[in-house]
Amino acid sequence: MTNNNTSLTILSTTIRRDAEGRYSLSDCWKVSGKDKKNQPSEWHSQEKTKEFLRALEGDRGSPVTPVSLVTTGPNEGRGYWADRKAVIHYATWISPDFYLTVISAFDALVTGQIPNTESKPKRIRKTPVLRAFRDGYGIAKTLGLDDNQAASHAGRYCLHKCGENPLPALGLDAQPAPTQDNYQTVTELGRPLGLSGQRVNKILEERGLQVHVKGSSSSSNWSMTDKGLAYGRMFDGVRVGSTGSQQMLKWKPSTVEFLRPFAKVPA
């Protein structure tokens, strides 16, 4: 039978060999998809890999080490070079699919056949940016963030999921964030209407904007409901008579519309 294949070929790529006949793991890594977490150095640093190589070195009579690292000389000669068993172990570490591809390539090398190149590493599909942004925005709003904060965190969510943050391209990466000056405490809301802070809290609870919760030395005694998320926001403040910090629930000035029917002072 005529030998049509004299080199190890993985997915139509010829894998280079060194003078001792070892194969280039850098070439194998590139063919596998060039994922940083699958670099030969990552594989070689694993304790399981070290155990395998110790066993491999003790089970061979050849003076050639199964894996060699070249760090000097021309760039094309640098990197990890491995024998057949080590290459297969490396492929197994990357993924079952790549292991099967490498095994087929070695079988083709032995039989002299051209390896099957139809099976290629699956391309990882990225989440569409718009869908990722909507998901991130929805999560942020569920956690009680205001619109600007939710948009900012949705951009970060996109960057994590898609590798892209759409906000800078839209010129929206520097949206002004709400400050405490834009919000008021219940005492500040109620003062012009002749209502105490305690009374305002009760009204906002009755109107479904907040619920009473068991607070702590650092948290508020009130929490916004879904309805209240459109009006309130938590800020870090300083507890009266103390140097410690405490979360404070404040409200947009527009919240006063819920209080006017109870005003004791004419508007």
Side-chain angles (χ1 to χ4, degrees):
M1 177 173 55
T2 302
N3 192 331
N4 297 317
N5 183 47
T6 58
S7 302
L8 178 63
T9 303
I10 302 176
L11 298 177
S12 302
T13 299
T14 299
I15 306 302
R16 294 172 298 148
R17 302 182 75 175
D18 66 5
E20 283 73 32
R22 291 173 295 217
Y23 300 95
S24 169
L25 289 187
S26 295
D27 289 352
C28 296
W29 172 67
K30 292 175 182 177
V31 174
S32 73
K34 299 177 67 174
D35 192 326
K36 288 185 177 181
K37 67 180 178 63
N38 292 334
Q39 289 180 328
S41 58
E42 292 293 326
W43 166 77
H44 194 261
S45 67
Q46 303 296 312
E47 186 58 38
K48 289 291 185 181
T49 300
K50 295 176 181 178
E51 292 179 6
F52 169 77
L53 294 180
R54 284 195 292 268
L56 188 59
E57 289 174 350
D59 189 42
R60 55 190 294 129
S62 172
V64 178
T65 57
V67 176
S68 173
L69 173 61
V70 178
T71 59
T72 59
N75 289 336
E76 61 270 17
R78 298 184 185 185
Y80 287 90
W81 300 82
D83 68 5
R84 182 180 65 86
K85 291 182 179 179
V87 170
I88 292 174
H89 188 277
Y90 173 59
T92 304
W93 177 76
I94 290 179
S95 73
D97 286 343
F98 191 58
Y99 161 75
L100 293 175
T101 299
V102 169
I103 285 294
S104 296
F106 273 115
D107 287 345
L109 176 61
V110 172
T111 61
Q113 301 298 312
I114 298 176
N116 182 1
T117 60
E118 293 180 358
S119 176
K120 295 186 177 182
K122 296 180 180 179
R123 179 179 297 177
I124 299 176
R125 296 184 179 275
K126 294 183 178 179
T127 304
V129 174
L130 182 58
R131 190 176 78 187
F133 188 86
R134 287 173 175 169
D135 290 346
Y137 187 85
I139 294 171
K141 291 297 290 183
T142 300
L143 293 175
L145 301 183
D146 59 46
D147 293 344
N148 282 344
Q149 287 181 312
S152 176
H153 284 279
R156 296 180 188 177
Y157 184 83
C158 276
L159 184 62
H160 175 72
K161 287 290 186 180
C162 316
E164 176 184 354
N165 183 347
L167 295 182
L170 296 171
L172 300 174
D173 52 324
Q175 298 185 80
T179 67
Q180 296 205 41
D181 294 336
N182 305 130
Y183 289 73
Q184 298 177 348
T185 65
V186 288
T187 299
E188 293 168 336
L189 277 176
R191 186 178 296 123
L193 304 177
L195 300 173
S196 67
Q198 185 176 8
R199 177 60 176 148
V200 171
N201 270 328
K202 190 64 177 178
I203 294 172
L204 295 180
E205 181 181 26
E206 292 172 351
R207 293 290 178 169
L209 273 67
Q210 66 178 9
V211 292
H212 192 268
V213 295
K214 184 178 181 180
S216 67
S217 60
S218 61
S219 64
S220 172
N221 292 321
W222 296 93
S223 177
M224 292 168 288
T225 63
D226 289 342
K227 181 179 179 181
L229 290 175
Y231 298 93
R233 185 172 183 268
M234 285 291 184
F235 291 92
D236 289 328
V238 179
R239 178 185 287 274
V240 178
S242 172
T243 58
S245 63
Q246 181 189 33
Q247 282 193 315
M248 302 171 60
L249 176 54
K250 292 188 176 184
W251 302 91
K252 293 180 180 179
S254 58
T255 312
V256 75
E257 296 303 322
F258 292 93
L259 309 177
R260 292 193 187 281
F262 305 91
K264 294 183 179 181
V265 177

